Amino acid sequence: MRAARVVTRPNPPRPEPALILTAHGSADPRSAEVTHAVAGRIRRLRPWLDVRAAFLDHTGPRLGEVLRQTPDGVVVPFLLADAFHARTDIPAMIAESGCRAGQAAVLGEDPALLAVARQRLSEAGVSPDDERLGVLVAAVGSSSAAANARTATVPHALAVGTRWAGAEVAFATVPHNTPAQAAAALRHRGADHVVIVPWFLAPGRITDRVAGFAAREAMTMAEPLGSHNLVAATVLDRFDEVTSSAVAA
């Protein structure tokens, strides 16, 4: 597991754009709480950096409002999948704002986030040596087949070095690879008990729906990735990719 990305401030310091941590937003307040908590971790890792939280929908401040208040910024999508929100919504909002702002890549299937998922499984009592265990990675799902294919790499990555009976992805919002289908596939592979790990940054209505399925099926469910220094470090990596490219140019 890598250490959190702590970077010493240059001397003399170069002016840095603001980091605008941009989440989808949810009517469930737990979602925004995680976004603000991760923003707080980033501020503690880099006290000199201007870090602002923004949301695309459901809660404020909205991204357009934050952009208009930020002379120079980099929007870092607080998203796992490179799908519609990252490819369409955020660029449109940046263009509509008329502000100068860069856009970083989504967090994706970063090794640091996989490490956090392994920690959540461990906290739920999962052993890497349990040969009768099936691990079900529950993700939101997307209309983008390419995004779903990348998410589908997560179970294999989590299972490397374990003795589990298997690991499968399940999508909560698309009509294929559903939790029920993934659980059946794991049992077919020899799992006599299944643990669900949510591939979500924060709890919300969709994770509650998955938790309801877990309760009905008597399955253990781990916590989402949540607020963690490795999540904050991944955000900083995406920010640094943009700012480093700008300096090199």
Side-chain angles (χ1 to χ4, degrees), residues 105-192:
V106 298
L107 305 188
E109 301 74 42
D110 193 279
L113 302 185
L114 293 169
V116 177
R118 292 188 191 99
Q119 179 178 327
R120 299 303 182 223
L121 283 168
S122 178
E123 291 166 352
V126 169
S127 166
D129 298 321
D130 188 346
E131 297 178 352
R132 306 300 295 175
L133 175 69
V135 171
L136 192 160
V137 178
V140 65
S142 169
S143 59
S144 167
N148 289 338
R150 286 190 292 273
T151 302
T153 66
V154 172
H156 174 75
L158 288 177
V160 170
T162 74
R163 301 172 67 184
W164 298 336
E168 294 280 343
V169 71
F171 296 114
T173 61
V174 295
H176 55 84
N177 290 96
T178 65
Q181 290 169 336
L186 288 167
R187 293 189 180 104
H188 182 73
R189 293 170 64 178
D192 59 18

Side-chain angles (χ1 to χ4, degrees), residues 55-80:
F55 301 89
L56 301 179
D57 203 359
H58 298 294
T59 189
R62 300 293 177 91
L63 175 58
E65 175 188 347
V66 174
L67 284 167
R68 287 187 289 273
Q69 297 172 354
T70 310
D72 185 15
V74 172
V75 176
V76 182
F78 196 49
L79 302 168
L80 295 173

Side-chain angles (χ1 to χ4, degrees), residues 29-42:
R30 294 173 297 172
S31 179
E33 286 169 5
V34 170
T35 303
H36 286 293
V38 171
R41 287 180 182 270
I42 295 168

